[in-house]
Amino acid sequence: MKNFLVAALLFLCISSKAQTLETYLTQNHSKFDGNFSKKLFDNSFYDSQFIFLGETHGFADPQQADLSLIKHLNKVNNLKYYIAEVDATKAWLLNNFFADGDEKWLKLVFRSWVSDTAQWANAEYTNKYRQIYEYQKSLSNDKKLTLIGIDAVQDWTIIPLYINHLTENNDVQIYKNHLIALSDTLILKQNGKSIAEAFLKDLLKNEQKAKQILKTNYRPLKLLLENIADSSDREKSMLNNLNRYISAYELGKSKMYGFLGMYHCLQSSYNGGAPFAFQLKQQLGNSAAIKSIIGFYVNGQMMVPYNAMMQQVIPAQYAQMLWQANPAFAKSKKYLPVPYSNNQDSPVMQKVDKIELLEKYAESAATIFRLNGDKSPFSNSKTFGEVKGPMGVQLSNATDHTTDAFQYLLLFKAAKAATPLD
């Protein structure tokens, strides 16, 4: 009888906990279709200085979610600064594209990604920038977006083009030797850091004179050189680049929204590392100033580079079968549309406990769940906050809970693989 009572009590406790979780999810989710629920996105959301959407590269769906948030936040929150996972040079190219719509800028942005067989080299990503350009045309100048690139250098071959643009209309003979060094891509790849440091030293030695010579190009040139010279690890470098941009343009506490890879948007330490958003939150000293939305995916497909590593995991016969079923991938055979689920273990998937509960309440192809609402069970548990499997992430600190890392979860059902660029 004693054992029976203990078992019954344990069952009731487990059932009560599950019911609390399900009850909460029932009351804290909504379709993600461009119409944002005031219950889920309340003042605490809009009051945040930084809002991030974290994607897993290789899916098509997050691009449209990103576009929806850009338009919404621009309209209701006066958003004017859009943080992207590109470097200073590609940010210059994209801002040029937003201004004039010339496709040459996009081709330069995506060139290195196509060459490197990166997951960024996809049609949906390209088309999103075209849609942002069209949206920009409808905005008055005081509402237009500026893209901020915070990543490390991604393509050394276009740096000379940017340098030439920043110095072509100025009397810059005093910096001739530095400019010659920066014009050689091969030398840049080998000695970029030392070249940039030397140029920075000369600029700062007589900063007033440098500003007189370079005029409005002083700030972007200095930021570019600092981007090249930064030898920090990637996450710290991203924070440094953001801080330098905010300082250079005196943006203070201007509101910003960013679309980055999932890991960069996590506000807690994971796997012993310090993601960009975690470091930013520590710097701000105010958890209310930053919100992260993390994307999860079930029963879909993911665009995966079919490189040497993946060839060891995925047999050629299976790859041929996937190509036959997906002509867009068969053209180059550089990528595979790999079946993907967030509820099982495999070399290219993840395992998220209880994700079936999210599927149960998912009302559409994309459903948003608020995790940090009143009496949230996610504020004292790690449910959905950790991911198992080869691509998994685990919270470093035992005292951290899900809402310490992110506050919203965006579930994509039947997520489509991104389409490789030709």
Side-chain angles (χ1 to χ4, degrees):
M1 178 61 70
K2 181 180 178 181
N3 290 339
F4 172 78
L5 290 173
V6 170
L9 183 60
L10 181 61
F11 173 78
L12 288 172
C13 289
I14 294 173
S15 298
S16 175
K17 184 177 180 180
Q19 182 62 39
T20 300
L21 184 64
E22 291 208 38
T23 299
Y24 179 86
L25 290 174
T26 303
Q27 299 170 352
N28 288 274
H29 75 277
S30 174
K31 291 181 181 180
F32 191 87
D33 56 4
N35 297 313
F36 295 87
S37 164
K38 290 184 179 179
K39 178 180 178 182
L40 299 188
F41 294 95
D42 60 9
N43 289 341
S44 67
F45 178 80
Y46 295 113
D47 288 344
S48 304
Q49 183 182 358
F50 296 96
I51 297 172
F52 295 105
L53 172 59
E55 68 147 349
T56 298
H57 304 313
F59 292 103
D61 305 60
Q63 302 299 336
Q64 287 305 302
D66 179 35
L67 185 64
S68 293
L69 277 166
I70 288 172
K71 291 180 177 180
H72 177 70
L73 293 172
N74 176 255
K75 181 179 178 180
V76 306
N77 223 31
N78 198 30
L79 171 78
K80 289 188 285 189
Y81 298 100
Y82 173 50
I83 300 170
E85 200 170 332
V86 298
D87 60 18
T89 307
K90 288 191 175 184
W92 166 65
L93 296 172
L94 287 167
N95 282 315
N96 286 347
F97 178 72
F98 292 163
D100 64 21
D102 193 329
E103 290 281 325
K104 72 180 181 183
W105 306 119
L106 277 188
K107 289 179 181 177
L108 284 169
V109 169
F110 282 82
R111 184 176 65 184
S112 64
W113 295 336
V114 171
S115 176
D116 296 340
T117 319
Q119 286 171 300
W120 286 318
N122 66 74
E124 289 78 13
Y125 194 8
T126 313
N127 288 333
K128 179 188 71 181
Y129 283 131
R130 293 189 180 107
Q131 290 172 294
I132 294 175
Y133 164 68
E134 292 297 327
Y135 177 68
Q136 288 271 72
K137 289 197 299 185
S138 70
L139 300 175
S140 58
N141 288 336
D142 63 327
K143 287 282 190 179
K144 290 187 185 297
L145 294 159
T146 296
L147 185 143
I148 304 172
I150 64 170
D151 211 348
V153 173
Q154 295 177 340
D155 186 352
W156 292 96
T157 67
I158 54 178
I159 287 177
L161 181 67
Y162 191 23
I163 292 287
N164 183 61
H165 163 75
L166 292 173
T167 58
E168 62 184 348
N169 295 323
N170 303 105
D171 183 15
V172 291
Q173 286 302 306
I174 188 174
Y175 303 125
K176 183 179 179 180
N177 291 337
H178 295 304
L179 295 175
I180 290 173
L182 286 166
S183 68
D184 191 312
T185 299
L186 184 60
I187 294 175
L188 261 179
K189 285 183 177 179
Q190 295 173 341
N191 304 300
K193 182 178 183 295
S194 59
I195 293 170
E197 286 176 337
F199 199 167
L200 275 169
K201 185 177 180 181
D202 271 4
L203 285 181
L204 298 175
K205 185 167 59 178
N206 194 336
E207 189 172 19
Q208 194 58 40
K209 183 175 182 180
K211 288 179 178 178
Q212 290 174 352
I213 292 172
L214 293 160
K215 300 180 177 64
T216 58
N217 288 333
Y218 173 78
R219 285 187 294 192
L221 178 60
K222 182 171 178 283
L223 286 170
L224 173 63
L225 295 174
E226 288 169 335
N227 189 191
I228 297 171
D230 196 328
S231 59
S232 309
D233 67 80
R234 189 180 177 198
E235 304 300 314
K236 180 62 175 177
S237 178
M238 292 171 81
L239 180 62
N240 291 341
N241 287 326
L242 177 62
N243 285 335
R244 287 190 285 255
Y245 189 96
I246 291 173
S247 175
Y249 288 97
E250 300 176 344
L251 299 180
K253 293 189 177 181
S254 298
K255 293 183 178 181
M256 300 182 178
Y257 161 71
F259 179 69
L260 308 168
M262 170 187 170
Y263 180 80
H264 306 305
C265 300
L266 296 170
Q267 297 171 30
S268 290
S269 172
Y270 273 82
N271 298 351
F276 158 73
F278 168 62
Q279 297 185 50
L280 177 60
K281 184 169 72 171
Q282 286 189 315
Q283 173 186 291
L284 293 170
N286 177 12
S287 60
I290 179 171
K291 298 290 186 297
S292 292
I293 306 167
I294 300 298
F296 281 33
Y297 314 82
V298 289
N299 304 324
Q301 287 185 319
M302 179 183 190
M303 185 184 95
V304 176
Y306 196 48
N307 52 25
M309 182 182 74
M310 292 308 300
Q311 288 170 14
Q312 294 178 359
V313 175
I314 299 176
Q317 186 176 4
Y318 183 60
Q320 287 292 343
M321 183 185 73
L322 291 175
W323 284 325
Q324 288 175 5
N326 297 270
F329 286 78
K331 293 179 182 178
S332 67
K333 295 189 176 181
K334 292 172 65 177
Y335 298 89
L336 289 175
V338 175
Y340 184 96
S341 176
N342 231 154
N343 56 17
Q344 58 182 296
D345 292 318
S346 95
V348 293
M349 297 184 200
Q350 301 171 326
K351 170 67 177 175
V352 180
D353 291 334
K354 298 185 177 69
I355 198 168
E356 64 276 2
L357 293 178
L358 298 178
E359 293 182 80
K360 178 179 177 180
Y361 294 106
E363 298 179 352
S364 59
T367 305
I368 187 81
F369 295 85
R370 180 180 181 179
L371 306 183
N372 66 335
D374 292 339
K375 301 178 181 178
S376 170
F378 302 102
S379 298
N380 53 26
S381 76
K382 302 180 191 297
T383 304
F384 306 138
E386 295 188 322
V387 177
K388 300 177 182 177
M391 293 172 61
V393 288
Q394 304 293 310
L395 286 160
S396 304
N397 301 317
T399 56
D400 277 359
H401 300 117
T402 303
T403 52
D404 295 315
F406 54 95
Q407 295 73 43
Y408 290 84
L409 191 154
L410 182 55
L411 184 73
F412 296 98
K413 289 174 63 177
K416 297 179 291 296
T419 308
L421 286 175
D422 291 337

